Amino acid sequence: MPCHDFRAPRLFVDAPLALDARVPLDRDQSNYLGNVLRLAAGAEVLAFNGRDGEWQAAIEGRKRPDNLVILQQVRPQDQLPDLAYVFAPLKHARLDYMVQKAIEMGAAALQPVLTRFTQASRVNTERMRANVVEAAEQCGILSIAAVAEPVPLERYLSQRPAGRLLIFCDEAAEVQSPVQSLQDAGKAGHGQGGMGIDVLIGPEGGFAEEERALLLRQPNILRLALGPRIMRADTAAVAALALVQAVLGDWGPGAAER
């Protein structure tokens, strides 16, 4: 992993980044830099847009920060593993936490699915996107994960590409080594550099029996137990994504050379 300056403020901007470009700041960004961080003209920040890598930039503006002047690239754009986090939404703060942790774990896409026992009937995808950006800003992440609109579980399953591995985290599955199960999936060609992976975490009420039966009929499915204890959904997200990244993702042996 390239050396990263964790002390410099980072800012996501939805504009092209190139040498000597001037990027206008919106009101919230100007307020954050000028009033929250107390930065004036000439101060330097790191800017990224999810496409062009990370750039050193200087603030411009007389009374308040108005623009960023792009000075030099400090990190080239990277690519997240082809890993989607698929989940039954939770309420409010716990959903915020789950989204932030999924981004920190390297998920490239977030897909809410609605199940019989889903706790939250409404999903604020704009809030989810804001949490994605905030987590990327704070953790040195260059890519911005895609946030999809919520769909019923049945529709999600009917639309997903059959070649992707579906890791179905099921509290009713027989407890056995999840590492060995994932390693076997890796031998079949799934994982970093291969076919994509979808990690599915259900609601805290569990899946209905007809939903479980539908899931088990899917192609390329791996039913996985996350150990002998029942976890809350946000904890299960961290556990499952850590396992997948360590065995099949960009945490595994040789990932730096891939």
Side-chain angles (χ1 to χ4, degrees), residues 8 31 48 63 78 82 96 100 110 113 115 122 155-156 167 171 180 185-186 200 202 234 248 257:
N31 179 68
F48 70 107
K63 294 184 178 180
D78 62 9
D82 190 2
D96 293 345
Q100 292 162 4
L110 303 178
V113 292
T115 69
R122 300 177 118 188
R155 187 188 306 173
Y156 158 73
I167 298 177
E171 70 277 4
Q180 184 61 56
L200 173 62
D234 44 354
L248 299 179
E257 287 77 37

Short mmCIF file of all heavy atoms in Angstrom, two decimals, residues 8 31 48 63 78 82 96 100 110 113 115 122 155-156 167 171 180 185-186 200 202 234 248 257:
data_model
loop_
_atom_site.label_atom_id
_atom_site.label_comp_id
_atom_site.label_asym_id
_atom_site.label_seq_id
_atom_site.Cartn_x
_atom_site.Cartn_y
_atom_site.Cartn_z
N ALA A 8 -3.15 15.12 6.66
CA ALA A 8 -3.69 16.13 5.75
C ALA A 8 -5.20 15.95 5.58
O ALA A 8 -5.67 14.82 5.44
CB ALA A 8 -2.99 16.03 4.39
N ASN A 31 -17.55 25.78 3.89
CA ASN A 31 -17.76 25.91 5.33
C ASN A 31 -16.88 24.95 6.11
O ASN A 31 -16.29 25.32 7.15
CB ASN A 31 -19.23 25.66 5.66
CG ASN A 31 -19.50 25.76 7.16
OD1 ASN A 31 -19.43 26.81 7.76
ND2 ASN A 31 -19.81 24.61 7.77
N PHE A 48 -9.75 14.03 -4.03
CA PHE A 48 -9.95 12.83 -4.86
C PHE A 48 -11.38 12.83 -5.36
O PHE A 48 -12.26 13.46 -4.77
CB PHE A 48 -9.63 11.56 -4.07
CG PHE A 48 -10.63 11.24 -2.99
CD1 PHE A 48 -11.52 10.19 -3.13
CD2 PHE A 48 -10.68 11.98 -1.80
CE1 PHE A 48 -12.44 9.88 -2.14
CE2 PHE A 48 -11.59 11.68 -0.81
CZ PHE A 48 -12.47 10.62 -0.97
N LYS A 63 -12.26 35.85 1.12
CA LYS A 63 -12.94 35.85 2.41
C LYS A 63 -13.22 34.43 2.91
O LYS A 63 -13.33 34.21 4.11
CB LYS A 63 -14.24 36.63 2.31
CG LYS A 63 -14.03 38.12 2.05
CD LYS A 63 -15.35 38.86 2.07
CE LYS A 63 -15.13 40.37 1.85
NZ LYS A 63 -16.41 41.11 1.86
N ASP A 78 -6.69 3.58 -7.70
CA ASP A 78 -6.68 2.14 -7.54
C ASP A 78 -8.05 1.57 -7.90
O ASP A 78 -8.94 2.30 -8.35
CB ASP A 78 -6.28 1.75 -6.11
CG ASP A 78 -7.28 2.28 -5.07
OD1 ASP A 78 -8.35 2.79 -5.46
OD2 ASP A 78 -6.98 2.20 -3.87
N ASP A 82 -13.85 -6.79 -6.73
CA ASP A 82 -15.22 -6.90 -7.23
C ASP A 82 -16.08 -7.58 -6.17
O ASP A 82 -16.46 -8.74 -6.28
CB ASP A 82 -15.22 -7.70 -8.54
CG ASP A 82 -16.58 -7.65 -9.23
OD1 ASP A 82 -17.49 -6.97 -8.71
OD2 ASP A 82 -16.72 -8.31 -10.28
N ASP A 96 -25.98 3.43 9.39
CA ASP A 96 -24.82 4.29 9.14
C ASP A 96 -23.53 3.54 9.45
O ASP A 96 -22.57 3.56 8.67
CB ASP A 96 -24.90 5.56 10.00
CG ASP A 96 -26.05 6.48 9.62
OD1 ASP A 96 -26.61 6.30 8.52
OD2 ASP A 96 -26.37 7.37 10.42
N GLN A 100 -20.54 2.40 6.78
CA GLN A 100 -19.16 2.89 6.97
C GLN A 100 -18.19 1.73 7.06
O GLN A 100 -17.11 1.75 6.45
CB GLN A 100 -19.09 3.76 8.22
CG GLN A 100 -19.83 5.08 8.09
CD GLN A 100 -20.11 5.73 9.43
OE1 GLN A 100 -19.69 5.23 10.48
NE2 GLN A 100 -20.84 6.84 9.42
N LEU A 110 -22.86 -1.45 -2.69
CA LEU A 110 -23.79 -1.72 -1.60
C LEU A 110 -25.18 -1.91 -2.19
O LEU A 110 -25.68 -1.04 -2.92
CB LEU A 110 -23.81 -0.56 -0.61
CG LEU A 110 -22.47 -0.17 0.04
CD1 LEU A 110 -22.68 1.03 0.95
CD2 LEU A 110 -21.87 -1.32 0.79
N VAL A 113 -31.47 -5.09 0.21
CA VAL A 113 -32.54 -5.97 -0.25
C VAL A 113 -33.60 -6.06 0.84
O VAL A 113 -33.29 -6.06 2.03
CB VAL A 113 -32.02 -7.38 -0.62
CG1 VAL A 113 -31.14 -7.33 -1.85
CG2 VAL A 113 -31.28 -8.03 0.54
N THR A 115 -36.49 -8.04 2.76
CA THR A 115 -36.91 -9.40 3.07
C THR A 115 -38.15 -9.34 3.95
O THR A 115 -38.60 -8.27 4.37
CB THR A 115 -35.79 -10.15 3.81
OG1 THR A 115 -35.64 -9.59 5.12
CG2 THR A 115 -34.46 -10.04 3.06
N ARG A 122 -38.10 1.81 4.82
CA ARG A 122 -37.61 2.89 3.96
C ARG A 122 -36.10 3.01 4.12
O ARG A 122 -35.58 2.91 5.23
CB ARG A 122 -38.27 4.22 4.31
CG ARG A 122 -39.77 4.21 4.16
CD ARG A 122 -40.38 5.54 4.58
NE ARG A 122 -41.06 6.18 3.48
CZ ARG A 122 -41.55 7.40 3.52
NH1 ARG A 122 -41.40 8.13 4.60
NH2 ARG A 122 -42.17 7.93 2.49
N ARG A 155 -36.27 -10.10 -6.47
CA ARG A 155 -35.85 -9.38 -7.68
C ARG A 155 -34.33 -9.33 -7.78
O ARG A 155 -33.76 -9.52 -8.86
CB ARG A 155 -36.42 -7.97 -7.69
CG ARG A 155 -36.14 -7.23 -9.01
CD ARG A 155 -36.54 -5.78 -8.94
NE ARG A 155 -37.92 -5.61 -8.53
CZ ARG A 155 -38.47 -4.43 -8.26
NH1 ARG A 155 -37.73 -3.32 -8.34
NH2 ARG A 155 -39.73 -4.34 -7.90
N TYR A 156 -33.68 -9.08 -6.65
CA TYR A 156 -32.21 -9.08 -6.65
C TYR A 156 -31.67 -10.41 -7.17
O TYR A 156 -30.77 -10.45 -8.01
CB TYR A 156 -31.68 -8.79 -5.25
CG TYR A 156 -30.28 -9.27 -5.05
CD1 TYR A 156 -29.20 -8.62 -5.63
CD2 TYR A 156 -30.02 -10.42 -4.29
CE1 TYR A 156 -27.90 -9.09 -5.47
CE2 TYR A 156 -28.73 -10.88 -4.13
CZ TYR A 156 -27.68 -10.22 -4.72
OH TYR A 156 -26.41 -10.70 -4.56
N ILE A 167 -22.20 -15.49 -1.46
CA ILE A 167 -21.88 -15.99 -0.13
C ILE A 167 -23.05 -15.66 0.78
O ILE A 167 -23.29 -14.50 1.12
CB ILE A 167 -20.57 -15.38 0.40
CG1 ILE A 167 -19.41 -15.80 -0.52
CG2 ILE A 167 -20.31 -15.83 1.83
CD1 ILE A 167 -18.08 -15.18 -0.13
N GLU A 171 -27.43 -18.02 9.62
CA GLU A 171 -27.28 -18.44 11.01
C GLU A 171 -27.76 -19.87 11.22
O GLU A 171 -27.42 -20.50 12.24
CB GLU A 171 -28.03 -17.48 11.94
CG GLU A 171 -29.54 -17.55 11.87
CD GLU A 171 -30.14 -16.73 10.75
OE1 GLU A 171 -29.37 -16.16 9.95
OE2 GLU A 171 -31.37 -16.65 10.66
N GLN A 180 -11.99 -22.62 5.36
CA GLN A 180 -11.84 -23.73 4.42
C GLN A 180 -12.87 -23.64 3.30
O GLN A 180 -12.57 -23.88 2.12
CB GLN A 180 -11.98 -25.07 5.15
CG GLN A 180 -11.75 -26.29 4.27
CD GLN A 180 -10.35 -26.31 3.68
OE1 GLN A 180 -9.36 -26.26 4.42
NE2 GLN A 180 -10.25 -26.35 2.35
N ALA A 185 -13.83 -22.23 -2.49
CA ALA A 185 -14.42 -21.36 -3.51
C ALA A 185 -13.33 -20.69 -4.34
O ALA A 185 -13.47 -20.51 -5.55
CB ALA A 185 -15.32 -20.31 -2.86
N GLY A 186 -12.22 -20.32 -3.68
CA GLY A 186 -11.11 -19.70 -4.40
C GLY A 186 -10.51 -20.64 -5.43
O GLY A 186 -10.12 -20.23 -6.53
N LEU A 200 -24.01 -11.75 1.29
CA LEU A 200 -25.38 -11.47 1.70
C LEU A 200 -25.55 -11.67 3.21
O LEU A 200 -25.28 -12.75 3.74
CB LEU A 200 -26.34 -12.40 0.95
CG LEU A 200 -27.81 -12.36 1.38
CD1 LEU A 200 -28.43 -10.99 1.16
CD2 LEU A 200 -28.62 -13.44 0.64
N GLY A 202 -28.55 -11.18 6.14
CA GLY A 202 -30.00 -11.00 6.26
C GLY A 202 -30.39 -10.13 7.44
O GLY A 202 -29.54 -9.56 8.14
N ASP A 234 -25.00 -5.82 12.01
CA ASP A 234 -23.86 -4.95 11.72
C ASP A 234 -22.55 -5.63 12.11
O ASP A 234 -21.52 -5.44 11.44
CB ASP A 234 -24.01 -3.59 12.40
CG ASP A 234 -24.49 -3.65 13.84
OD1 ASP A 234 -24.84 -4.76 14.29
OD2 ASP A 234 -24.54 -2.61 14.50
N LEU A 248 -10.30 -14.43 -0.03
CA LEU A 248 -10.54 -14.27 -1.47
C LEU A 248 -10.28 -12.87 -1.98
O LEU A 248 -10.24 -12.66 -3.20
CB LEU A 248 -12.00 -14.65 -1.79
CG LEU A 248 -12.43 -16.07 -1.49
CD1 LEU A 248 -13.91 -16.25 -1.84
CD2 LEU A 248 -11.58 -17.08 -2.26
N GLU A 257 0.96 -8.15 -5.02
CA GLU A 257 1.56 -8.36 -6.33
C GLU A 257 0.52 -8.50 -7.43
O GLU A 257 0.85 -8.53 -8.59
CB GLU A 257 2.42 -9.65 -6.30
CG GLU A 257 3.73 -9.51 -5.54
CD GLU A 257 3.51 -9.54 -4.03
OE1 GLU A 257 2.64 -10.32 -3.57
OE2 GLU A 257 4.21 -8.81 -3.32
#
